[in-house]
Amino acid sequence: MQSDTATPQSPQELAAGLRQAGYLPGASTALVSFLAIKLGKPVLVEGPAGVGKTELAKAIATYLDRTLVRLQCYEGLDEAKALYEWNYRKQLLRIQTESQQAGWENVQDDIFGEEFLLPRPLMTAIASPEPVVLLIDEIDKTDQEFEAMLLELLSDFQISIPELGRIEARTQPVVLLTSNNTRELTEALKRRCLYLWLDYPTLEHELQIVRLHAPELDETVARKLTEIIHQVRELDLKKPPSIAESIDWARTLLLLGAGDIDHTTFTETMSVIVKHRTDLDTVAARVGVALQQADASAA
Ligand SMILES: Nc1ncnc2c1ncn2[C@@H]1O[C@H](COP(=O)(O)OP(=O)(O)OP(=O)(O)O)[C@@H](O)[C@H]1O
Ligand SMILES: [Mg+2]
């Protein structure tokens, strides 16, 4: 099995590479990703929505210059959609074009060959001649049977197909699994993975991320935006704003040409960062009113 051990040489080097790919990793993100690449172990990335779990996999793929193979998980996802499926139509055609004398034995050997397989993301990642980055996104949406199926793949990087035997990985993929923590994953799965908890970033870190995504936004506005986002997160909300909302808000303010976040601007745009009726009321009452008072005392 080939593995790409040439790059990177340190977590710092990886962090710099990810930054170039447009992703600003925290220290633990850089360290765990570095270990994942070097040790060839999958990483389980958990954390709230919109904190950069999916984006991390994309950035690692860009940095390593590898193809990103993505399996988006959902309830009811099965092997046929995740692993492989037999191409029944092609098999049927093959049987029909076979002469009458060929006999079932011959045809059977033939139609259960690789040529008649439809590879799905997991198989694609395993069989790829070039090493890839495999993203198994939102694994918590699947059930425990699916997780059990993944175990063989994650520990041995191989897949068993009853009619064909074992398919072993030719190259070592970097594997990232993400979870929003909607259900507890099995211990067996966790044991095979490195673990990364991605939380909301610190104020300074988030400010850098916002400035990276909206470089034209004035720095004082960007700072105020980040401070407000952090205040809003302190409130007891159904859905606190994530980095995704901070970035959307920064872009909104840019589009509107806002030079400051005063009470009016805030009330007009707060639905970009808060998306529940009751949360809107809470935020308007707490943060909105504070801004109004600040505006009044500045005037
Ligand atoms: N460290 C970071 N550096 C740069 N951009 C980031 C970072 N973290 C998050 N982002 C940006 O935040 C947005 C949300 O990230 P992403 O979609 O990866 O979140 P997620 O954790 O996968 O969310 P979900 O659980 O909803 O799928 C993206 O636009 C991403 O570019
Ligand atoms: Mg995601």
Side-chain angles (χ1 to χ4, degrees):
M1 197 179 343
Q2 284 176 32
S3 64
D4 192 349
T5 48
T7 55
Q9 293 308 321
S10 66
Q12 292 74 20
E13 193 184 316
L14 174 62
L18 291 179
R19 256 180 248 128
Q20 275 205 330
Y23 191 88
L24 301 181
S28 57
T29 305
L31 177 66
V32 175
S33 311
F34 173 75
L35 292 176
I37 295 169
K38 288 302 202 190
L39 301 176
K41 276 196 118 186
V43 192
L44 172 61
V45 191
E46 279 194 312
V51 291
K53 301 183 295 296
T54 304
E55 200 64 28
L56 173 63
K58 293 185 189 168
I60 291 178
T62 307
Y63 165 67
L64 292 175
D65 195 18
R66 295 189 185 188
T67 306
L68 178 75
V69 178
R70 180 172 181 174
L71 174 66
Q72 180 63 49
C73 299
Y74 51 88
E75 214 180 309
L77 175 67
D78 59 8
E79 291 189 15
K81 289 283 170 288
L83 216 54
Y84 69 90
E85 217 174 351
W86 289 107
N87 189 341
Y88 300 116
R89 285 189 200 189
K90 201 169 168 188
Q91 286 177 322
L92 212 61
L93 275 174
R94 176 77 183 82
I95 294 170
Q96 280 170 351
T97 50
E98 192 62 59
S99 70
Q100 295 293 329
Q101 295 82 23
W104 171 240
E105 285 298 317
N106 286 338
V107 181
Q108 188 189 19
D109 281 350
D110 209 20
I111 61 173
F112 289 109
E114 275 189 48
E115 191 194 335
F116 293 88
L117 274 183
L118 285 175
R120 301 299 183 205
L122 297 180
M123 174 98 161
T124 306
I126 285 284
S128 167
E130 299 292 331
V132 300
V133 173
L134 171 62
L135 167 64
I136 304 176
D137 214 8
E138 309 192 1
I139 174 78
D140 52 329
K141 298 241 173 84
T142 64
D143 51 27
Q144 291 202 355
E145 284 94 86
F146 187 84
E147 252 187 80
M149 188 276 293
L150 270 184
L151 294 179
E152 179 188 6
L153 180 97
L154 295 181
S155 46
D156 304 328
F157 291 106
Q158 64 178 32
I159 291 172
S160 303
I161 302 181
E163 298 86 350
L164 272 181
R166 271 203 330 255
I167 296 197
E168 287 179 18
R170 286 185 255 175
T171 52
Q172 174 119 31
V174 171
V175 184
L176 284 101
L177 299 98
T178 78
S179 160
N180 277 18
N181 229 350
T182 56
R183 73 171 171 87
E184 194 58 39
L185 301 172
T186 60
E187 283 306 318
L189 182 86
K190 286 190 169 169
R191 200 157 15 91
R192 284 164 176 82
C193 299
L194 300 170
Y195 186 73
L196 175 65
W197 171 259
L198 265 192
D199 213 336
Y200 299 119
T202 61
L203 209 145
E204 288 306 319
H205 188 191
E206 186 154 7
L207 178 60
Q208 285 178 23
I209 297 175
V210 167
R211 299 209 67 209
L212 181 80
H213 284 268
E216 304 88 356
L217 190 68
D218 183 74
E219 188 179 350
T220 40
V221 180
R223 185 171 284 278
K224 188 161 181 185
L225 174 155
T226 320
E227 282 166 4
I228 295 176
I229 289 279
H230 278 243
Q231 282 168 26
V232 173
R233 271 187 208 136
E234 297 280 302
L235 305 174
D236 186 20
L237 300 183
K238 264 193 179 153
K239 166 73 180 71
S242 67
I243 304 178
E245 274 81 26
S246 304
I247 295 170
D248 283 348
W249 199 23
R251 290 185 176 148
T252 305
L253 295 175
L254 259 181
L255 275 175
L256 298 178
D260 182 25
I261 310 177
D262 54 15
H263 179 252
T264 319
T265 313
F266 181 73
T267 341
E268 277 170 6
T269 56
M270 71 181 192
S271 59
V272 177
I273 56 169
V274 193
K275 294 164 183 170
H276 277 280
R277 179 72 239 157
T278 49
D279 287 354
L280 280 170
D281 293 342
T282 315
V283 172
R286 302 285 294 276
V287 182
V289 168
L291 277 173
Q292 199 168 21
Q293 284 162 355
D295 288 354
S297 59

